Amino acid sequence: AFLDRARAAVAANPEDLNAAARLFYYYQQQGNLEAARRVLVEFRLRKESRQSAWKADELLTLARLFENVQDSNEAIRHYYALYSLPGADAPSTEKALAGIINILFTAPEQPLRFGSGDLSLYRDIATLDPYPGFLNGILSLLLNSASPNQAFAQEENNSIAYFHRLRAGELLALFDSRYPNSPQRPALHARLLEAYALYGDFDSVIRGGREFLAAFPSAPQRTQVAFLMADAFARKNQTEEEFALYDSLLKELAERAQGVPLGKS
């Protein structure tokens, strides 16, 4: 009955996002994510065919619904449309840019059309020198006689994730300049530091971690960032800095707990 009512509402008003969202919800709850995704695509196509003007809340809703069905390309499409929508207010463009950055951080391995680096063995290798790990990957590929095609596919997949995270970092700098008071900044910067750590850029983890702790004194990600920094110090054999950071972190946690010992209430 719910499905029949939702279909009837969509048929009666093809541009009613609320009706389309109900139909999406039905298929999502049934576990049919492809059908749920198709509902959203069909809604977008109906809007485009009628050349109807988009509203900011429509684009934001569609972007988030596409994220719910793991369609990162369509989510980015709608976040970007919201970001560039004429007349969109600052809160809307802030959410749009943050949404794009989050996708590039959280789904970096997906073949996204936005922000992808085009890598090829036929490109001048010297131009790729700044990117950590890639030359080693090329050498491993050339020396791997067992399955070079598979090795290349793996290296290419890893490089895509790297370039997506790199693009996310660039967009985060733009986000900082445009929305310096955004409450989303701490979480986004913590994800950037995780990306640095993943690729072994421990100097950037330490430098960015110090900037984070200075810039966000009340952020809930402070403990997470401190542990990333401590691990970076350990990997650089800077034990004094590592343990000094642990001491500082313990003092901060004690202050938050108002000196109450663990296990006490």
Side-chain angles (χ1 to χ4, degrees), residues 5-16:
R5 289 195 299 271
R7 284 175 172 168
V10 169
N13 191 350
E15 294 186 45
D16 181 5

Side-chain angles (χ1 to χ4, degrees), residues 12-24:
N13 191 350
E15 294 186 45
D16 181 5
L17 179 56
N18 183 57
R22 288 175 179 271
L23 194 54
F24 168 90

Side-chain angles (χ1 to χ4, degrees), residues 37 66 70-79 103 110-114 116:
R37 174 189 173 278
F66 273 117
Q70 291 85 51
D71 190 334
S72 298
N73 272 308
E74 284 293 327
I76 286 181
R77 173 206 287 265
H78 288 82
Y79 278 131
I103 291 175
Q110 293 190 22
L112 306 176
R113 291 187 294 271
F114 183 93
S116 296

Side-chain angles (χ1 to χ4, degrees), residues 211-230:
E211 293 172 354
F212 182 99
L213 296 178
F216 307 116
S218 303
Q221 297 85 6
R222 286 177 64 85
T223 302
Q224 169 195 354
V225 169
F227 278 122
L228 289 173
M229 291 177 63

Side-chain angles (χ1 to χ4, degrees), residues 154-235:
Q154 181 62 41
E155 290 302 325
E156 188 173 40
N157 186 62
N158 291 341
S159 66
I160 288 173
Y162 175 78
F163 274 103
H164 285 167
R165 290 186 172 105
L166 182 68
R167 180 57 59 86
E170 294 170 352
L171 291 178
L172 182 52
L174 172 64
F175 188 90
D176 287 337
S177 66
R178 293 206 60 180
Y179 313 106
N181 299 318
S182 172
Q184 300 190 69
R185 287 183 61 215
L188 293 175
H189 276 274
R191 289 190 169 180
L192 178 60
L193 295 175
E194 289 178 344
Y196 286 148
L198 179 65
Y199 290 102
D201 189 355
F202 300 119
D203 288 333
S204 292
V205 172
I206 293 170
R207 181 176 61 254
R210 284 172 172 158
E211 293 172 354
F212 182 99
L213 296 178
F216 307 116
S218 303
Q221 297 85 6
R222 286 177 64 85
T223 302
Q224 169 195 354
V225 169
F227 278 122
L228 289 173
M229 291 177 63
D231 181 68
F233 281 130
R235 292 176 182 272

